Amino acid sequence: MSIIKKIFENKTTLIGTVIILFFIFLAVFAPLITSYNPTGQNLLESLQLPNSKHIFGTDIFGQDIFSRVVYGARMSLYLSSVSVAISAVIGVFLGAIAGYFNKFVDEIIMRFFDILLAFPSILLAIAIMAVLGQGELNLILAISIYSLPRFARITRGTVYAEKQKDYVEAAKVSGESKWSILIRYILPNSLEPIIVQFALRMATAILSIAALGFLSLGVPPPTPEWGTDLALSFQYIQVYPYLGIFPGIAIFLVVIGFNLIGDGLNKSLNPRSKGKN
């Protein structure tokens, strides 16, 4: 059964997919959805409550909040998807090597990831950003590094279990090389938990990017990014709560969406969970 079919069969996954597709739509068609420049300042219109002209209101610089939320979706999804994709490719590669080849290689690779796992994810990201400074590339690097161990450990365990199966022995007898067996047979049969982990790490990445932005360690203003906008609104939150409500809701919905996808796929793809659907 294909992954697409399982998405439509599981209500949890379907709801999450609809949420994420909505934000992808906002990100792709942002220039058509809003006519306001997200970085355009107009101090004469600063701190306006939501109205017919600015449906989410304006911030302290007179920037349209709706426009910043829409364009913020583009930035958040771009940063998180690139970061998680990089960590997935490298983590799956190293995890597959650790799970399939000899114990010495396994020990070296996994002890390195154990060191990374010794640090709480967000603290590791904060440390990296504090050293490298603000910027999109540095943010992608920080998120990628702390996501690596999760992909590596899951891949290592799955590959190790797959290599014990009869089809691997049959491939060895037929003269297939180790790399050929790993790439052609074992990895394709190990994709399901990796896909689930990808969705869950996307949720974590979105949250981490927002957290780093809130701590002024993420994307520097005036670039629209939800965490940065939350930080700028913090000192006015009691008087003008709408400044933080809309970016906060956007973060909440995207994180919930990816978590729903991951949870739903886990139930669909995990045989032990099928009875719970």
Side-chain angles (χ1 to χ4, degrees):
M1 187 182 295
S2 68
I3 298 294
I4 300 298
K5 188 175 181 181
K6 290 180 180 181
I7 287 176
F8 286 99
E9 283 186 346
N10 187 283
K11 291 182 180 179
T12 302
T13 313
L14 184 58
I15 292 171
T17 302
V18 170
I19 294 172
I20 298 306
L21 286 177
F22 170 73
F23 279 94
I24 290 174
F25 175 83
L26 291 182
V28 173
F29 297 102
L32 301 178
I33 294 171
T34 175
S35 59
Y36 288 102
N37 183 347
T39 61
Q41 299 184 10
N42 184 353
L43 297 179
L44 296 177
E45 295 186 349
S46 64
L47 296 175
Q48 288 192 5
L49 294 172
N51 54 66
S52 58
K53 185 177 180 181
H54 302 282
I55 59 174
F56 286 0
T58 60
D59 62 15
I60 57 174
F61 302 110
Q63 298 172 130
D64 182 70
I65 295 177
F66 176 72
S67 178
R68 291 189 64 80
V69 169
V70 170
Y71 278 89
R74 175 179 289 187
M75 179 58 64
S76 294
L77 290 174
Y78 159 70
L79 292 173
S80 58
S81 59
V82 172
S83 301
V84 176
I86 291 172
S87 60
V89 170
I90 299 174
V92 167
F93 176 73
L94 294 176
I97 293 175
Y100 187 68
F101 292 95
N102 61 62
K103 190 174 181 180
F104 177 73
V105 174
D106 180 23
E107 286 290 327
I108 292 176
I109 293 175
M110 298 317 295
R111 293 302 74 79
F112 168 72
F113 287 127
D114 285 344
I115 293 172
L116 291 181
L117 285 172
F119 300 93
S121 298
I122 189 62
L123 291 183
L124 181 60
I126 289 173
I128 294 171
M129 292 302 295
V131 172
L132 298 179
Q134 289 182 304
E136 294 178 23
L137 292 179
N138 293 341
L139 192 54
I140 289 172
L141 180 62
I143 303 299
S144 299
I145 289 174
Y146 87 64
S147 296
L148 275 175
R150 277 73 181 181
F151 285 105
R153 290 174 71 88
I154 285 177
T155 305
R156 185 253 184 196
T158 308
V159 167
Y160 185 82
E162 287 292 323
K163 79 173 185 179
Q164 313 297 327
K165 296 183 178 179
D166 292 338
Y167 75 86
V168 175
E169 291 299 321
K172 289 179 181 177
V173 172
S174 67
E176 293 269 4
S177 67
K178 286 186 176 181
W179 282 104
S180 177
I181 293 171
L182 179 61
I183 295 171
R184 293 181 60 192
Y185 305 114
I186 295 180
L187 278 180
N189 288 319
S190 305
L191 287 179
E192 291 184 352
I194 295 171
I195 293 171
V196 172
Q197 184 63 20
F198 191 95
L200 295 175
R201 294 315 299 176
M202 282 292 293
T204 305
I206 290 284
L207 207 54
S208 298
I209 290 167
L212 290 170
F214 186 79
L215 296 172
S216 300
L217 292 172
V219 179
T223 303
E225 194 277 313
W226 296 331
T228 304
D229 287 352
L230 277 176
L232 293 174
S233 69
F234 186 71
Q235 59 183 317
Y236 302 94
I237 202 72
Q238 291 184 331
V239 182
Y240 303 101
Y242 69 91
L243 293 175
I245 286 176
F246 297 112
I249 290 175
I251 295 169
F252 171 78
L253 288 176
V254 173
V255 171
I256 285 294
F258 279 117
N259 276 321
L260 288 175
I261 292 173
D263 182 62
L265 285 176
N266 185 50
K267 289 179 180 178
S268 297
L269 301 176
N270 187 349
R272 291 174 295 182
S273 303
K274 285 184 178 178
K276 301 177 183 180
N277 283 345

